[in-house]
Amino acid sequence: MTQGALVVGSIGVLINVVDAIGTGRLEPHDAFVALVALGAGGELLKERRPTAAKALQAVTSVLLVVAGSVAGVRAWGALFRGTTYDWVDLALGVLVVLYVGVGAAQLLGRLSQGAARSRLSAGTLSD
């Protein structure tokens, strides 16, 4: 399944590149096909090269946030101005906000767990 996602994502990237060359413009939502390919590549590398897989997943996350933010800001701005907008871009903007929110909550949870463990360890050492 992951190899299929890598192939489909790679084909989609090629299609988007050809389309960008033809139109002279690359849209933010065009990056999401690359995200599929990068995510699949990260999954395939997980066992053999865990460091490279983590780096690829980090690049994928940054690309997701940047592309989704650009698409979402454009679409929400158009919505508030009353001009034409794309529902997919609106949804991408909302999903990116949720993605960042969940990531921040996970990070805060890990940090608070680490702080609680260090307090517990310090209390055990002082007894």
Side-chain angles (χ1 to χ4, degrees):
M1 176 85 92
T2 307
Q3 291 171 338
L6 181 62
V7 169
V8 169
S10 299
I11 292 169
V13 167
L14 290 174
I15 290 169
N16 284 340
V17 168
V18 170
D19 185 46
I21 291 170
T23 63
R25 183 175 175 153
L26 189 63
E27 293 294 325
H29 57 262
D30 292 339
F32 288 91
V33 181
L35 292 172
V36 171
L38 289 170
E43 277 298 312
L44 290 172
L45 287 174
K46 204 179 257 186
E47 289 182 18
R48 292 185 183 173
R49 307 197 42 92
T51 306
K54 285 184 181 183
L56 202 53
Q57 289 170 346
V59 168
T60 304
S61 295
V62 169
L63 182 61
L64 171 71
V65 170
V66 170
S69 297
V70 170
V73 166
R74 285 183 182 176
W76 283 99
L79 176 70
F80 291 131
R81 284 190 307 271
T83 59
T84 60
Y85 56 89
D86 189 356
W87 281 99
V88 173
D89 289 345
L90 283 173
L92 290 175
V94 170
L95 289 175
V96 165
V97 168
L98 293 173
Y99 179 77
V100 170
V102 167
Q106 285 179 335
L107 180 62
L108 288 174
R110 287 183 189 157
L111 291 175
S112 67
Q113 275 183 340
R117 284 187 191 139
S118 66
R119 282 194 303 267
L120 182 63
S121 296
T124 306
L125 291 176
S126 64
D127 288 339

